[in-house]
Amino acid sequence: MKILVCVSKTPETTAKISFSGTDFDTAGVQFIMNPYDEWYALVRALELKEAHGGTVTIINVGPASNDPVIRKGLAIGADDAVRINAEPQSALTAAKYIAEYAKTGGFDLILTGKETIDYNGSEVGGMVAELLDLPYISYANHLDVNGTAATVSRDIEGGTEVVEVSTPIVVSAAKGMAEQRIPNMRGIMMAKRKPLNVVEPGAASDHAKVVSYEMPQGKTTVKMIDPENMDELVRLLHEEAKVI
Amino acid sequence: MVLVLADSPNGQLKKGSFEAVTYGKKVADAMGTQCAALVLGNAGDAGQLGQYGAAKVIHINNDQLNNFDSQVYTSVVADVAKQVGAQVVIVSHSSAGKSLIGRLAVRLDAGSVAGVNQLPTVDGGFKVKKNVFSGKAIAEFEISSPVKVLSLMGNSIPVESTGSAVAAESMDVNIPASKVTVKERKTIDGTVPLPEAELVVSAGRGMKGPENWGIIEELATELGATTACSRPVADTGWRPHHEHVGQTGVAIRPNLYIAAGISGAIQHLAGVNSSKVIVVINKDPEAPFFKAADYGIVGDLFDVVPRITESLKKYKAAN
Ligand SMILES: Cc1cc2nc3c(=O)[nH]c(=O)nc-3n(C[C@H](O)[C@H](O)[C@H](O)COP(=O)(O)OP(=O)(O)OC[C@H]3O[C@@H](n4cnc5c(N)ncnc54)[C@H](O)[C@@H]3O)c2cc1C
Ligand SMILES: Cc1cc2nc3c(=O)[nH]c(=O)nc-3n(C[C@H](O)[C@H](O)[C@H](O)COP(=O)(O)OP(=O)(O)OC[C@H]3O[C@@H](n4cnc5c(N)ncnc54)[C@H](O)[C@@H]3O)c2cc1C
């Protein structure tokens, strides 16, 4: 089974987010692999390879400064990696480059995370699927592949749905699909020798882009309520906050 | 034309769809055009969407559309969008909508913004805002393509019933065969799913163990609220995964979020700080969550939570 795992780079979850003008200010910000890509998509891909044989390739669309994140993916166990050397300004551009590469690879399974924790789009997987005319199962919390038959359980409102579909498919990974793996020393050493191919992209144009950022309005001051007097809380929720 | 796809999982239209149509009507007004609603598969009375501002309701009530398949739905929605000349296509930011938005953007060669939570401005370019960095910032996007695709975050706009029901009409479209077979669908009956819930009662590690959740469930039942939890609580199996809210769980924006025994770590706040009103119960007055709260109670949750339930009962009896 040939598996392609799309990995993106995002600011670390406790990073302070600030902007200089209209740009995200990256000074002092640590970057990580998007948690859904690392914890679920990549680990499940490796488990499937371990069970059925095959290869796991990771792909990232991004600049050379993303290489440490890609190397981490190799250290966790991917066989090889591809970086499309571009700074995508939108989900569509990232997806077009991924699809272009995937077309040449004959992949049975393309995995993405359910969304990035920076732009929170949950768009790239569907875009790649549409560009390749493949089924797309999103928010998968469980994935099994046997030959070409895939069984996927996915999150829906207030529950789950189990579907069957034949590969090739695109699946976006959510919590439950696998357990996070920490790279060991051997993995880290081996990662240095695994291939990381850099591909120069063709042209792509963005239809949507960020024009400005603002910070959300923080809460003013919290109103403290006497723990003995919950009648007062109920009154405030009704009369002041008007939520009950 | 502004085209709104109304979700009807389990054959019923949902509040998220009424919000999306209300939103679509306002976008249409701003653009000087009309709003059409599209309903796919079994959905009961589709014409009721007229009440929320749809001038036209298209209901393609074909059994092949009762199960959601992103590939089939994309094909049908795009077909309808072309037939009605849609300039803007709106879906809910639901499990179906999130699976569709990317595909639709590609199919319609459209710019897309997923998870918008405010109305766009349309003078001098089409601009619309959404939360980014898991709620730590807000970004304004400009879409430059002739066709635009948006998904609307739940609870972003109050439902407005301004119009009246219309007669739903059908439309000839090509429905491709689905490559996906739905084997099973398990949903918990009786509770509102978290992403749609207006009232949420959530608890964390301060609960000490899963056997203590009764007081949380009683409060939730009294309020008619949905229960949620912090990540470690879901990770250790005290509560089911689908209750996990935060940056790596479900992002929610209810009217009321009550948090008991949750410290308020930055990753937790990222998924809940868009809630309109936040009540925090913690025995530690220094808990970081108080900084994000509207109402704070310093105390032992095992005393405070049952007291809130009691006060609610009293209040309900009196009103
Ligand atoms: C300088 C700069 C400016 C940017 N400006 C914008 C902007 O204006 N608007 C904007 O939306 N984004 C912007 N980005 C972010 C970048 O384009 C994102 O990768 C892209 O938008 C996808 O984000 P998303 O949240 O839609 O992804 P999602 O659709 O949420 O991602 C889902 C999954 O797709 C895969 N994926 C996503 N991105 C990549 C990638 N780059 N490589 C490989 N796999 C990927 C991952 O598996 C991920 O889990 C900018 C980035 C840079 C470096
Ligand atoms: C990459 C990453 C992603 C993450 N994503 C998420 C996420 O999506 N969601 C999430 O929730 N977390 C997430 N976390 C974890 C997060 O950092 C915190 O560890 C977690 O939110 C803490 O959960 P908690 O508040 O339940 O527990 P704790 O931090 O242990 O807090 C328990 C609180 O209960 C209070 N308490 C104890 N006993 C009582 C009592 N009797 N009465 C009243 N109060 C009491 C304590 O004072 C304390 O404040 C993530 C972490 C990482 C690294």
Side-chain angles (χ1 to χ4, degrees):
Chain A
M1 187 163 20
K2 281 191 80 176
I3 308 175
L4 182 66
V5 182
C6 307
V7 301
S8 53
K9 187 187 80 170
T10 57
E12 191 266 319
T13 51
T14 58
K16 221 175 136 36
I17 304 299
S18 60
F19 302 94
S20 55
T22 54
D23 288 324
F24 173 40
D25 187 355
T26 54
V29 174
Q30 294 247 17
F31 286 91
I32 56 169
M33 197 186 310
N34 188 44
Y36 299 106
D37 312 354
E38 179 186 329
W39 301 348
Y40 311 127
L42 176 57
V43 176
R44 190 61 194 145
L46 295 170
E47 288 171 354
L48 287 171
K49 174 192 146 173
E50 285 153 12
H52 304 288
T55 55
V56 175
T57 302
I58 53 181
I59 184 167
N60 170 260
V61 183
S65 56
N66 287 10
D67 285 352
V69 162
I70 300 173
R71 289 276 174 215
K72 183 170 185 196
L74 293 171
I76 294 172
D79 297 292
D80 60 350
V82 181
R83 181 170 59 78
I84 312 293
N85 191 24
E87 294 213 18
Q89 306 279 310
S90 75
L92 189 59
T93 305
K96 278 186 177 156
Y97 291 146
I98 293 169
E100 215 165 86
Y101 175 81
K103 255 180 206 152
T104 63
F107 294 98
D108 302 292
L109 182 61
I110 300 176
L111 285 166
T112 71
K114 73 165 189 181
E115 66 180 46
T116 65
I117 60 167
D118 51 9
Y119 288 89
N120 307 104
S122 68
E123 293 188 272
V124 170
M127 287 171 166
V128 170
E130 185 63 22
L131 288 162
L132 299 173
D133 196 22
L134 295 178
Y136 171 52
I137 316 296
S138 66
Y139 284 68
N141 54 45
H142 190 84
L143 164 69
D144 260 320
V145 185
N146 218 323
T148 60
T151 307
V152 195
S153 156
R154 68 183 204 99
D155 294 339
I156 57 170
E157 280 72 21
T160 53
E161 181 177 83
V162 181
V163 303
E164 283 179 358
V165 58
S166 295
T167 58
I169 50 173
V170 181
V171 174
S172 85
K175 185 170 182 160
M177 192 187 260
E179 297 286 338
Q180 180 178 7
R181 281 189 190 179
I182 312 289
N184 58 24
M185 211 47 214
R186 185 162 165 270
I188 294 167
M189 296 311 291
M190 277 169 62
K192 294 189 179 136
R193 278 175 278 125
K194 287 179 179 171
L196 193 172
N197 303 312
V198 178
V199 175
E200 290 305 322
S205 60
D206 296 303
H207 288 325
K209 63 174 202 306
V210 176
V211 286
S212 66
Y213 292 98
E214 61 196 87
M215 301 308 278
Q217 276 179 330
K219 298 278 182 192
T220 40
T221 41
V222 45
K223 196 176 262 184
M224 298 310 285
I225 301 166
D226 175 3
E228 303 291 335
N229 189 1
M230 287 301 104
D231 288 354
E232 176 65 0
L233 174 71
V234 172
R235 188 189 69 79
L236 287 168
L237 290 179
H238 178 65
E239 288 175 13
E240 189 179 75
K242 298 190 169 62
V243 290
I244 59 170
Chain B
M1 186 69 90
V2 172
L3 180 68
V4 178
L5 174 68
D7 267 350
S8 55
N10 307 318
Q12 261 178 322
L13 290 168
K14 305 238 282 189
K15 186 178 131 241
S17 299
F18 307 150
E19 292 172 353
V21 174
T22 303
Y23 182 91
K25 159 76 170 150
K26 288 181 190 284
V27 176
D29 284 348
M31 295 174 70
T33 179
Q34 282 190 323
C35 170
L38 172 63
V39 181
L40 301 181
N42 201 357
D45 171 22
Q48 61 172 311
L49 293 173
Q51 284 172 29
Y52 309 104
K56 182 186 176 84
V57 175
I58 303 154
H59 186 187
I60 305 176
N61 195 357
N62 184 304
D63 285 349
Q64 281 169 273
L65 298 171
N66 287 347
N67 281 326
F68 175 77
D69 172 358
S70 66
Q71 216 169 4
V72 175
Y73 267 50
T74 297
S75 179
V76 172
V77 176
D79 189 344
V80 173
K82 283 183 185 141
Q83 291 194 44
V84 301
Q87 298 143 275
V88 181
V89 178
I90 298 166
V91 299
S92 295
H93 199 60
S94 58
S95 70
K98 288 182 208 171
S99 316
L100 280 176
I101 179 163
R103 294 200 88 120
L104 277 173
V106 167
R107 180 68 72 102
L108 296 167
D109 195 21
S112 55
V113 180
V116 301
N117 55 22
Q118 292 177 38
L119 284 164
T121 54
V122 297
D123 296 327
F126 189 99
K127 294 185 189 141
V128 66
K129 289 180 184 175
K130 68 169 280 192
N131 285 359
V132 290
F133 299 100
S134 306
K136 292 180 207 168
I138 298 161
E140 184 170 47
F141 287 76
E142 177 164 8
I143 308 183
S144 50
S145 50
V147 180
K148 295 140 184 98
V149 184
L150 308 176
S151 63
L152 175 68
M153 201 78 174
N155 287 343
S156 294
I157 179 171
V159 171
E160 280 177 32
S161 181
T162 48
S164 49
V166 299
E169 50 197 281
S170 194
M171 188 176 271
D172 275 338
V173 289
N174 173 40
I175 304 176
S178 175
K179 295 179 197 152
V180 179
T181 315
V182 176
K183 281 287 166 199
E184 198 183 348
R185 210 167 220 278
K186 286 175 282 193
T187 50
I188 308 140
D189 291 330
T191 51
V192 185
L194 261 184
E196 296 158 28
E198 289 182 355
L199 307 170
V200 174
V201 179
S202 186
R205 230 159 23 187
M207 293 295 292
K208 310 279 188 283
E211 66 281 5
N212 297 328
W213 243 263
I215 54 170
I216 297 298
E217 276 160 1
E218 278 159 29
L219 174 57
T221 308
E222 199 53 43
L223 267 173
T226 302
T227 49
C229 69
S230 66
R231 176 173 164 219
V233 162
D235 281 356
T236 48
W238 290 4
R239 299 295 292 175
H241 280 321
H242 65 80
E243 283 198 1
H244 160 191
V245 291
Q247 188 161 16
T248 52
V250 187
I252 54 171
R253 42 189 302 130
N255 290 337
L256 174 63
Y257 183 74
I258 300 183
I262 300 177
S263 56
I266 189 160
Q267 298 96 346
H268 185 85
L269 295 181
V272 303
N273 61 6
S274 306
S275 308
K276 286 182 193 94
V277 174
I278 296 179
V279 176
V280 169
I281 304 151
N282 200 301
K283 67 174 182 191
D284 173 10
E286 302 296 319
F289 216 150
F290 285 120
K291 290 203 178 67
D294 297 278
Y295 301 105
I297 301 140
V298 178
D300 187 333
L301 68 89
F302 295 102
D303 299 328
V304 173
V305 172
R307 239 176 252 152
I308 302 176
T309 312
E310 281 317 305
S311 296
L312 271 169
K313 281 189 180 142
K314 258 199 290 179
Y315 161 81
K316 273 195 187 163
N319 288 272

